[in-house]
Amino acid sequence: MGNLLTIRGLALEAGPRRSPTRLLRGIDLDLDRGEVLGLVGESGAGKSTAGLAAMGHVRDGVRVAAGSVEFDGQDLLRLPRGRLRRLHGRHLSYVAQSAAASFNPAHRLIDQVTEAPRLHRVASRKAAQADAVALFSQMHLPDPGGIGARYPHQVSGGQLQRAMTAMAMTCRPGLIVFDEPTTALDVTTQIEVLGAIRDAVEEHGTAAIYISHDLAVVAQMADRICVMKDGLVVETAPTRTMLDAPREDYTRSLWSVRSFRRPEAEAPAPEPLLEGRGVTAAYGRVRVLHGLDFAFARGRTTAVVGESGSGKSTLARVLAGLLPPEAGEVVWGGEPMEMRLARRGSGTLRHVQMIYQSADTALNPRHAIRRILSRPVRRFTGRRGAALEARVGELMDQVELDRALLDRRPGELSGGQKQRVGIARALAAEPEFVICDEVTSALDQLVAEGILRLLVGLQRELGLTFMFITHDLAVVEAIAHHVIVLENGRIVEQGGRDDIFERPRHPYTRRLLASVPRMDPDWLDRARTRDLQPHA
Amino acid sequence: MSKIQRLVLGRLALGLLTLFAVSLLMFAGLEFLPGDLAQQILGQSATPDTVAAFRAELGLDQPPHIRYLDWLGGVARGDLGNSLASGRPVTDLIGPRLANTLFLAGYAAAIAVPLAVGLGLMAALWRNTAFDRGANLGALSAISMPEFFVAYLLILFLSIKAGLFPTLARIDMASGPVDALHATFLPALTLILVVVAHMMRMTRAAIINVLASPYIEMARLKGVSRRRVILVHALPNALAPIVNVVALNLAYLIVGVVVVEVVFSYPGLGQLLVDAVSSRDLPIVQAVGLVFAAVYITLNVLADIASMIANPRLRHGS
């Protein structure tokens, strides 16, 4: 058997022994030397747990209920801790989702990158540092000789992610587990990191497990794909077979989830509800928005897209009244709008509402849903007693939630349900203009699609005007009427959705669109040959 | 000027401002004490003329703000005035007492701080084991007893029964440092027992808090040993809270030891303060209060500065 890794009947559980939460319910996985296996599934499917278990690592509070993980002939789950530790970093290594959180803020990069070879006595300090510099340059990091002297906070997220891949490579391990390594990155950065990871894996003949919720990304990286759901393997097949002919219904539903499109044929854009002229904003002395001119058409969805740091959220803060602009004016229905929150009348406060990215942190965990919704209803519409009660129930109907959930707290709801409560809370004020800040980014694709359908329906029913902030261009394509592209605080292009997507004029827009992974295993190769100048 | 230099200077300036505010409050507080100082010192039988003359001599006939400015000017020149009781300069009275207090505090700190941080690190390393529970239980029991009670227990067992140490901590530097350390061992041990628990538990909590970070999991997955994870990966990121709690306890060792000093009749600042309050020797009360405030503020400022320097984001701008 040339098998490097053989997982058989692996079951993991957590929580009380009598009624445990079953994280993995008996999975089998095989990996050959030099092979890349993609693990795909929604959150809670057990991908990360399986990836860590492949290294013999289970997190605190998690127990092995059954099964074995055989790596190179040794059962990792039954090795004494010291022996396992000698494998970690040496023969098995890990690349985590957030490089910013996975590098120790107190130490220089080079010391962290060379820690494993020094501890495992693979190389002397000097040799390890020279090797790290070589790996840095192979990962296309700028200034490979000098970047190691920096601390993590001095290096961008995309560069850190590449440095972490270099760190995983230092001992030339037999297996690397990549756990969503590009999920936190912008698309244009993601494409560079994906390319660098694939080159490195190919060059060193390393076997890898590549975990992602994004099928299009996995399709670029993996030789075989394994789809997981609820702690079980749904199906496993070579990448092309899996993309062209998935056998299971669940796999097909994952594949088709990106097919949602707002129904076409709407009337031409009406007059703008809100218009900005020369809007300029700054945090202290750092100017973030530079003279933006924009308009949000009444009853339409305008998507604001751009990478992190482009000023999307700052624009939302300006319109919400949280950050008064330095210059420029905003006109609401023909009248100048008060930009300082404290001076806004209740009318303006009521008409501008927000839905947040993370419903987890935007809802008070100690309040029941009824209280979360009643407060804005009372505050903005003055309803009391039975009328208040009726309105709260109606809001639950509008966001398609069971009224029985009113007495629950946010912690007892699923991610999608919580986001619906967030939407209902915004609707409670009976607003005209709703700022949606990355409202689907934290959700699984199937759940996100449900939220998008809900928002489109609400817009048609209530005539809402949406400002839709997102970095996810597939979402934009699905629901936007109008698109504003921001780069470094300037609008580089704006127009109708089809114009932007089919006839992008500005090079930045083109690069942004070209960087969105497609469900085609050759996409990365083509995208890179077309556009391989380093941008970092 | 770099960001960290600006922050450090700002913190120092704030410390000075706090000290100034404390001196003002202290002066005002003493001003509001009931009764006339000159009358009390001279007694009921003094004639009004004598009292008036004495008031003039003490400067009490001046309005309060003039007296405050006078006093502040004196402080700036290193002149804290004269004791009302003995007439000797306050600096002469305070100097040796301050040295004694610092000696005892330094003695206790030199043992307590490494012991507490070490125990805290070990408790974090072996958390939820018998060692962790035992260390927590011992430290908590020590802190739960009032310090005079701890002191009497130590005197009873180590001094009276075992005869190892003297009951009175008379310090005499002339007889050599070993004797001084021996003579003051019991008060030092009392203080150690009182301060270790707080520092140990904070160290343990700060380390365990950091252990939940993704970079700790990453270090483990690189094959780093548990000890190295705690010392190299967790400790540098937990320094700020640890340094702060250490500073707080050091300050306590200097300004909060009155009870222990009285029990062992140790000639420190605390005793001096108690005596001065009971004899209404206001210049001494003011001066000791100012010294205590300065110690407290200095240690806290130093802790803040140390936490800033321990933070690579502040040390190395982006």
Side-chain angles (χ1 to χ4, degrees):
Chain A
M1 284 268 296
N3 253 9
L4 182 68
L5 180 77
T6 313
I7 297 181
R8 286 290 171 268
L10 181 63
L12 297 184
E13 53 181 47
R17 278 178 195 276
R18 288 209 188 142
S19 54
T21 311
R22 298 164 73 193
L23 303 175
L24 293 180
R25 301 193 289 169
I27 62 165
D28 299 339
L29 286 179
D30 293 275
L31 193 64
D32 274 332
R33 286 176 200 282
E35 188 189 27
V36 179
L37 174 72
L39 273 188
V40 175
E42 310 206 278
S43 59
K47 311 181 297 283
S48 292
T49 314
L52 287 172
M55 301 180 66
H57 181 74
V58 291
R59 290 197 165 131
D60 287 342
V62 178
R63 296 183 301 272
V64 179
S68 64
V69 176
E70 207 164 284
F71 173 78
D72 228 359
Q74 313 177 73
D75 187 350
L76 299 182
L77 298 178
R78 280 161 193 82
L79 277 186
R81 197 158 58 193
R83 297 254 321 266
L84 186 61
R85 193 161 63 222
R86 285 196 281 281
L87 291 178
H88 280 163
R90 172 73 189 86
H91 299 288
L92 294 159
S93 61
Y94 182 67
V95 176
Q97 170 165 356
S98 165
S102 297
F103 271 110
N104 192 324
H107 298 293
R108 296 177 192 276
L109 289 183
I110 193 74
D111 295 330
Q112 303 191 51
V113 170
T114 59
E115 188 174 21
R118 282 185 288 126
L119 284 181
H120 295 292
R121 304 191 188 285
V122 173
S124 67
R125 174 183 289 265
K126 246 181 135 176
Q129 286 183 349
D131 182 53
V133 171
L135 285 168
F136 286 159
S137 89
Q138 195 188 354
M139 296 303 290
H140 309 296
L141 280 167
D143 183 20
I147 197 168
R150 299 205 209 161
Y151 284 86
H153 72 273
Q154 297 170 312
V155 178
S156 76
Q159 292 172 4
L160 276 183
Q161 207 69 39
R162 278 178 275 172
M164 186 155 59
T165 305
M167 178 159 81
M169 289 283 177
T170 47
C171 292
R172 306 297 184 272
L175 170 67
I176 303 182
V177 175
F178 291 93
D179 192 353
E180 304 255 14
T182 62
T183 305
L185 303 178
D186 285 318
V187 280
T188 50
T189 317
Q190 167 170 280
I191 195 169
E192 293 160 15
V193 176
L194 288 178
I197 289 177
R198 205 174 62 181
D199 291 349
V201 168
E202 274 172 11
E203 176 156 342
H204 298 288
T206 317
I209 293 179
Y210 195 99
I211 298 167
S212 178
H213 68 285
D214 189 337
L215 271 168
V217 166
V218 171
Q220 312 309 316
M221 311 303 285
D223 303 317
R224 274 189 309 142
I225 293 181
C226 165
V227 177
M228 291 185 66
K229 179 176 194 279
D230 297 334
L232 285 170
V233 171
V234 175
E235 73 175 298
T236 308
T239 300
R240 275 181 200 282
T241 318
M242 189 65 115
L243 290 181
D244 297 340
R247 280 185 324 241
E248 301 293 326
D249 287 343
Y250 177 70
T251 315
R252 273 196 286 273
S253 78
L254 278 182
W255 265 228
S256 64
V257 71
R258 289 276 161 142
S259 57
F260 174 66
R261 283 289 175 282
R262 161 192 290 287
E264 285 307 320
E266 302 206 32
E271 88 283 11
L273 170 71
L274 187 154
E275 254 181 302
R277 297 192 199 104
V279 174
T280 298
Y283 292 114
R285 261 175 284 168
V286 186
R287 186 164 289 182
V288 185
L289 298 179
H290 308 267
L292 305 191
D293 297 321
F294 53 85
F296 291 95
R298 191 185 287 276
R300 295 301 163 91
T301 300
T302 303
V304 179
V305 301
E307 309 197 298
S308 48
S310 61
K312 308 184 296 280
S313 294
T314 307
L315 180 57
R317 287 172 60 85
V318 167
L319 296 178
L322 296 170
L323 179 71
E326 282 190 326
E329 60 164 355
V330 178
V331 178
W332 171 282
E335 305 271 316
M337 190 182 190
E338 173 57 56
M339 298 314 288
R340 276 159 300 186
L341 191 65
R343 299 225 181 150
R344 281 190 176 175
S346 60
T348 309
L349 285 179
R350 174 177 165 181
H351 287 315
V352 179
Q353 291 290 313
M354 266 188 100
I355 309 172
Y356 300 87
Q357 168 168 6
S358 163
D360 266 328
T361 50
L363 302 178
N364 189 327
R366 294 193 168 268
H367 289 181
I369 307 304
R370 183 186 306 281
R371 185 159 167 203
I372 291 172
L373 296 183
S374 301
R375 214 178 113 81
V377 170
R378 216 171 22 234
R379 164 95 167 72
F380 287 112
T381 70
R383 286 187 178 86
R384 295 280 187 279
L388 171 68
E389 199 57 19
R391 174 65 182 147
V392 168
E394 197 181 299
L395 286 169
M396 292 294 273
D397 296 345
Q398 278 183 334
V399 296
E400 296 158 18
L401 283 180
D402 188 345
R403 293 186 185 203
L405 296 178
L406 277 173
D407 294 311
R408 304 269 186 88
R409 290 186 181 177
E412 300 170 79
L413 270 50
S414 72
Q417 286 173 329
K418 274 183 276 198
Q419 195 53 287
R420 283 168 192 262
V421 173
I423 295 171
R425 183 176 62 180
L427 296 180
E430 297 169 19
E432 293 189 45
F433 184 65
V434 179
I435 300 169
C436 306
D437 191 355
E438 302 272 7
V439 289
T440 55
S441 311
L443 301 172
D444 283 323
Q445 297 189 20
L446 287 168
V447 180
E449 190 191 336
I451 297 286
L452 293 181
R453 285 184 194 280
L454 174 70
L455 289 173
V456 168
L458 288 170
Q459 180 169 54
R460 198 171 308 122
E461 192 183 323
L462 304 170
L464 298 171
T465 306
F466 284 132
M467 168 180 182
F468 210 96
I469 297 171
T470 182
H471 69 277
D472 188 341
L473 292 166
V475 169
V476 177
E477 215 174 347
I479 80 158
H481 294 99
H482 193 84
V483 181
I484 294 175
V485 184
L486 274 179
E487 186 193 18
N488 295 329
R490 291 191 168 79
I491 294 179
V492 296
E493 187 164 3
Q494 56 181 318
R497 178 194 65 188
D498 295 345
D499 283 342
I500 297 283
F501 275 83
E502 280 150 36
R503 294 172 290 281
R505 289 188 312 267
H506 195 276
Y508 176 74
T509 316
R510 282 193 211 127
R511 187 149 75 80
L512 207 57
L513 290 172
S515 301
V516 178
R518 309 246 164 228
M519 291 279 256
D520 164 6
D522 300 327
W523 165 80
L524 183 60
D525 293 327
R526 278 190 276 108
R528 290 177 83 201
T529 47
R530 199 168 50 228
D531 167 63
L532 198 68
Q533 55 277 31
H535 312 284
Chain B
M1 195 158 55
S2 77
K3 188 176 177 185
I4 184 119
Q5 283 169 325
R6 268 204 313 277
L7 281 170
V8 167
L9 283 181
R11 199 64 198 76
L12 284 173
L14 202 61
L16 275 179
L17 191 69
T18 318
L19 191 59
F20 175 72
V22 168
S23 76
L24 201 60
L25 280 174
M26 213 156 49
F27 191 86
L30 294 175
E31 196 61 29
F32 290 128
L33 280 181
D36 182 89
L37 186 66
Q39 182 82 61
Q40 292 212 350
I41 290 174
L42 295 176
Q44 288 300 325
S45 57
T47 64
D49 283 353
T50 331
V51 173
F54 191 54
R55 285 175 60 92
E57 192 191 324
L58 295 182
L60 291 177
D61 53 341
Q62 303 285 325
H65 63 273
I66 300 286
R67 279 185 287 132
Y68 174 70
L69 289 178
D70 267 359
W71 178 69
L72 203 62
V75 171
R77 291 191 307 272
D79 172 15
L80 295 168
N82 293 328
S83 158
L84 294 183
S86 67
R88 292 171 56 199
V90 171
T91 38
D92 289 359
L93 289 168
I94 285 189
R97 296 296 191 107
L98 180 61
N100 287 348
T101 293
L102 290 178
F103 172 75
L104 182 59
Y107 187 7
I111 298 172
V113 172
L115 182 71
V117 173
L119 283 175
L121 289 175
M122 286 193 279
L125 180 59
W126 298 305
R127 65 178 182 282
N128 301 331
T129 63
F131 174 84
D132 181 20
R133 299 215 170 90
N136 261 307
L137 192 71
L140 275 181
S141 319
I143 206 180
S144 309
M145 287 185 283
E147 40 196 303
F148 69 86
F149 186 64
V150 175
Y152 285 131
L153 279 184
L154 292 177
I155 289 175
L156 176 64
F157 288 107
L158 295 182
S159 180
I160 296 174
K161 294 216 164 155
L164 293 173
F165 301 97
T167 51
L168 295 185
R170 297 269 181 228
I171 179 169
D172 181 7
M173 284 301 176
S175 59
V178 177
D179 279 353
L181 289 177
H182 180 253
T184 52
F185 182 75
L186 286 189
L189 184 58
T190 312
L191 291 174
I192 290 167
L193 287 174
V194 171
V195 295
V196 158
H198 192 196
M199 290 190 282
M200 183 199 109
R201 288 168 60 81
M202 186 54 105
T203 303
R204 176 184 183 274
I207 294 281
I208 287 178
N209 190 25
V210 170
L211 288 183
S213 313
Y215 55 80
I216 297 295
E217 179 166 70
M218 182 49 114
R220 292 217 173 105
L221 290 174
K222 283 197 290 187
V224 177
S225 70
R226 285 160 60 99
R227 205 168 60 151
R228 190 176 155 89
V229 164
I230 300 261
L231 291 179
V232 177
H233 288 271
L235 184 58
N237 293 292
L239 272 184
I242 295 175
V243 166
N244 269 296
V245 73
V246 166
L248 208 62
N249 281 285
L250 289 182
Y252 172 81
L253 284 179
I254 296 171
V255 310
V257 295
V258 177
V259 175
V260 174
E261 285 184 3
V262 170
V263 171
F264 292 97
S265 25
Y266 182 78
L269 269 189
Q271 281 246 23
L272 181 66
L273 180 63
V274 172
D275 294 344
V277 168
S278 54
S279 64
R280 292 213 163 228
D281 200 343
L282 290 193
I284 293 196
V285 175
Q286 275 177 335
V288 174
L290 196 66
V291 169
F292 281 179
V295 163
Y296 211 85
I297 291 167
T298 308
L299 283 168
N300 276 291
V301 168
L302 286 180
D304 282 358
I305 291 173
S307 332
M308 286 175 194
I309 292 172
N311 182 347
R313 282 170 196 275
L314 293 178
R315 210 162 6 117
H316 308 271
S318 42

